[in-house]
């Protein structure tokens, strides 16, 4: 699987010299955090989609994953 752009950018920012780029570490950390949230939201959406289309899914488990992903996405 290809590496997401956010993670490639985070690695690039990590490699930047620290002088003059004081925010690069913070930006890299935020890109990683957002990538993680994105992955969790995609997983939750896929589960919800499967539930909607009649796959044998436990609605409570799907609901918990969706709510957890949403809560994590709202943190900033």
């Amino acid at each position: 699987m290809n590496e997401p752009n956010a993670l490639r950018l985070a690695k690039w920012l990590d490699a930047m010299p620290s002088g003059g780029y004081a925010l690069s570490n913070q930006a890299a950390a935020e890109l990683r955090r957002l990538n993680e949230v994105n992955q969790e939201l995609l997983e939750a959406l896929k589960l919800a989609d499967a539930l909607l289309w009649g796959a044998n899914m436990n609605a409570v488990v799907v609901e918990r994953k969706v709510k957890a992903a949403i809560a994590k996405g709202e943190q900033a």
Side-chain angles (χ1 to χ4, degrees):
M1 183 162 69
N2 293 338
E3 184 177 43
N5 285 336
L7 295 181
R8 280 198 303 270
L9 287 169
K11 286 180 182 178
W12 181 78
L13 286 167
D14 284 339
M16 298 291 289
S18 60
Y21 298 100
L23 296 177
S24 65
N25 289 339
Q26 290 176 335
E30 180 65 4
L31 284 167
R32 286 187 180 91
R33 185 189 75 78
L34 290 171
N35 182 71
E36 184 179 327
V37 168
N38 184 54
Q39 294 305 310
E40 289 182 21
L41 288 169
L42 285 172
E43 179 186 351
L45 283 171
K46 287 176 184 177
L47 288 172
D49 182 56
L51 180 65
L52 286 171
W53 292 105
N56 189 16
M57 303 290 299
N58 183 325
V60 174
V61 172
V62 173
E63 180 184 15
R64 285 185 194 144
K65 281 197 165 276
V66 169
K67 287 184 176 182
I70 290 169
K72 192 169 187 177
E74 289 176 341
Q75 295 173 0

